[in-house]
Amino acid sequence: MSHSEKSVRTRFAPSPTGYLHTGGARTALFNWLFARKHGGKFFLRVEDTDEARNTEEARAAIFGGLEWLGMDFDEEPVYQSQRQAIYEKWFDKLVAADRVYEDEGAWKFRFERKAVTVHDLVCGDVTIDYNDQAVNPKTGKANNPDMVVRRSDGTFVFHFVNVVDDIEMGMTHVIRGEDHLMNTPKHLQLFEAFGVEPPKFAHIPLILNKDGSKMSKRDIGARVDGYKEDGFISDAVNNYIALLGWSPKDDEEIFALQELVEKFDLSAVNRSGAKYDEKKCAWVNQQHLLKLSGQEFATAAAPYVEAAGVPVDGSYERIAASVQEKVDLLTKVPKMISFYTNADYPFDTEVMEKVKNNAQAGELLEKLAEAFSSLTDWSEAKGIIGATAKENGAKPGQLMFPTRVALSGMGGGPDLGEILEILGQEESVRRVRRAVSELS
């Protein structure tokens, strides 16, 4: 069946038992991208039948995470906890077809004893032979035993409700983690028992830590809500998690969300596990920050700046834009700009020691303060630094660094010309003189 013959329908089916995990977010993203690329629909199905473990907080975290990432769904979410009557109806079909039998109060699905092949769009063909019922020496149990579909308390198991929901919701493609791959032959037997053509399956590689272990809930980068706290923007997170297991045909790596939609293709999803790299993730974020306008960057950084207690006043936009090229995470903005609005900014001790090691620094800065105060055109201020150094028998570099420290208290940061322009003549002179008295 081609995508055009039947409109593509995909879904993300999380369990609300914890925050949104990066692996879950990537599964949602691949389903969302595939549906959007083919003009189809993307659905959210909440697998909330485990009442003991489900929490409202977890549900809110999943919804909030998807909203922040920009993954909209096309209809109201479906909740499995509200679908018992639907499951009863489909269970009755299995009873009528004599495909289930009761065993100690539970109901088991009778597998057909034959080989079942999954034609997976990522993993290729995977076959399980249900004729194999040899006893496993490790477990002492027979291979491929019939499957419980209904527990003795009347509730239905994951495999059953998963298949019923995919039928009811008209899913054409099921894109999920490869940890579900070995469940799929069981699901195919259920689809066949119901007389329904199954969707196409694509099992995507797991996300691994740098050491090759499977990413767990406590690992760096595992929590989607943590990205926002750490100063990432959502476009960058989507971009990075898309690259975990998928790569475009060209060497490009930086994509806006709409570009991902255009480029995404299941045939370009890798088979091997994808290693999470926090440095690469921060680099991708930096590339996205650089693409923002100065105003967009200032707006994105504002919540972090305000939370750090740094004033956001009239000149804030310009101040923020001065560090745009210097940061990879928005959480770094407050520290980098705090000196602008703090008249008593502290001098970095280590950096000040470097200045003190330059015997001429105090004298050069004093001459610079005089040169600054007699300037009639402040736009020439940056050029005056080199000229003052030369006039006093020093190289421009010998005065550039002390000037930066005098103006900001730091050894790195925005362009000196930007700092001078934003601070203005009077404040710049005051700061240079303050550094001179600090040195003496």
Side-chain angles (χ1 to χ4, degrees):
M1 192 192 324
S2 73
H3 306 321
S4 54
E5 280 174 48
K6 190 172 176 185
S7 178
V8 164
R9 293 166 75 89
T10 67
R11 47 72 168 179
F12 175 51
S15 298
T17 54
Y19 56 82
L20 181 58
H21 187 276
T22 297
R26 186 195 54 172
T27 298
L29 178 65
F30 283 10
N31 278 283
W32 185 88
L33 291 172
F34 189 78
R36 294 290 172 261
K37 174 161 188 169
H38 296 289
K41 290 191 169 183
F42 171 69
F43 299 87
L44 181 65
R45 183 168 82 220
V46 183
E47 300 196 337
D48 60 345
T49 51
D50 187 347
E51 282 182 38
R53 294 178 65 224
N54 295 333
T55 68
E56 182 51 40
E57 194 184 355
R59 194 195 70 83
I62 289 166
F63 279 65
L66 292 175
E67 187 182 348
W68 182 66
L69 290 167
M71 285 180 239
D72 53 330
F73 30 94
D74 291 297
E75 288 175 17
E76 285 300 303
V78 167
Y79 293 89
Q80 284 186 337
S81 58
Q82 298 167 8
R83 296 167 68 79
Q84 186 70 9
I86 293 169
Y87 304 143
E88 299 277 0
K89 182 186 80 175
W90 285 89
F91 178 73
D92 289 345
K93 292 186 181 190
L94 293 182
V95 174
D98 194 29
R99 288 302 298 272
V100 287
Y101 59 93
E102 200 171 352
D103 181 20
E104 293 182 7
W107 286 83
K108 286 185 172 177
F109 174 71
R110 204 189 308 276
F111 283 129
E112 279 194 15
R113 296 297 159 187
K114 62 180 184 180
V116 174
T117 301
V118 181
H119 302 292
D120 194 88
L121 297 173
V122 173
C123 303
D125 286 0
V126 177
T127 301
I128 296 286
D129 188 355
Y130 284 89
N131 288 305
D132 173 18
Q133 287 190 280
V135 173
N136 184 320
K138 284 184 183 172
T139 63
K141 293 177 182 174
N143 291 329
N144 306 310
D146 287 341
M147 169 175 69
V148 172
V149 287
R150 188 171 198 166
R151 302 179 188 94
S152 53
D153 65 0
T155 58
F156 293 99
V157 303
F158 159 78
H159 302 291
F160 178 79
V161 297
N162 190 281
V163 168
V164 168
D165 285 336
D166 282 342
I167 293 170
E168 284 272 335
M169 295 170 73
M171 292 300 114
T172 61
H173 294 77
V174 171
I175 304 166
R176 58 189 179 190
E178 70 176 358
D179 46 342
H180 284 292
L181 179 59
M182 299 322 287
N183 293 330
T184 308
K186 299 173 185 174
H187 298 178
L188 289 176
Q189 286 240 25
L190 279 167
F191 279 106
E192 192 177 0
F194 289 132
V196 175
E197 185 187 345
K200 289 183 165 58
F201 289 93
H203 289 87
I204 58 182
L206 299 178
I207 298 177
L208 309 173
N209 295 313
K210 265 188 171 171
D211 63 4
S213 60
K214 185 184 169 186
M215 181 188 266
S216 79
K217 292 177 178 180
R218 287 167 297 281
D219 291 321
I220 289 168
R223 294 181 66 131
V224 168
D225 55 6
Y227 288 103
K228 191 176 180 182
E229 288 168 19
D230 291 343
F232 287 85
I233 57 171
S234 57
D235 254 17
V237 176
N238 279 321
N239 188 163
Y240 182 69
I241 63 175
L243 295 174
L244 292 173
W246 168 82
S247 48
K249 302 262 189 293
D250 51 35
D251 290 334
E252 276 293 302
E253 287 192 298
I254 304 303
F255 307 105
L257 198 50
Q258 193 49 45
E259 289 176 295
L260 281 175
V261 170
E262 288 156 20
K263 288 194 176 269
F264 186 74
D265 189 343
L266 282 173
S267 67
V269 174
N270 312 323
R271 271 292 287 117
S272 54
K275 288 189 179 176
Y276 181 86
D277 181 343
E278 61 179 309
K279 283 185 181 164
K280 176 76 178 275
C281 189
W283 176 81
V284 169
N285 196 59
Q286 185 172 35
Q287 304 313 302
H288 279 269
L289 292 178
L290 289 170
K291 285 176 179 269
L292 300 178
S293 69
Q295 186 179 7
E296 287 168 337
F297 177 80
T299 303
Y304 302 91
V305 173
E306 286 169 342
V310 177
V312 176
D313 55 20
S315 56
Y316 162 70
E317 196 178 297
R318 192 169 175 199
I319 286 173
S322 75
V323 300
Q324 185 170 357
E325 291 180 8
K326 304 286 180 183
V327 297
D328 54 2
L329 301 170
L330 293 170
T331 41
K332 294 181 180 178
V333 174
K335 190 180 177 188
M336 288 203 80
I337 66 168
S338 61
F339 75 89
Y340 281 114
T341 51
N342 179 7
D344 300 316
Y345 54 98
F347 291 103
D348 181 298
T349 322
E350 218 175 291
V351 168
M352 204 52 171
E353 279 307 310
K354 278 188 188 172
V355 176
K356 284 176 180 171
N357 289 339
N358 172 358
Q360 279 183 282
E363 193 186 325
L364 287 171
L365 284 171
E366 210 163 327
K367 299 279 188 200
L368 183 64
E370 288 166 21
F372 274 174
S373 53
S374 58
L375 257 184
T376 50
D377 181 359
W378 187 241
S379 67
E380 293 172 8
K382 190 179 176 182
I384 288 296
I385 302 169
T388 303
K390 279 182 184 171
E391 279 169 26
N392 291 278
K395 290 176 179 166
Q398 284 176 274
L399 184 51
M400 288 288 183
F401 183 71
T403 305
R404 173 177 291 288
V405 177
L407 296 172
S408 68
M410 302 186 294
D415 177 78
L416 261 181
E418 279 282 321
I419 295 175
L420 289 163
E421 224 168 293
I422 290 167
L423 291 175
Q425 188 166 12
E426 193 180 324
E427 179 61 8
S428 297
V429 171
R430 184 193 75 78
R431 289 184 179 215
V432 174
R433 291 203 163 123
R434 177 178 175 235
V436 170
S437 61
E438 179 77 17
L439 284 168
S440 58

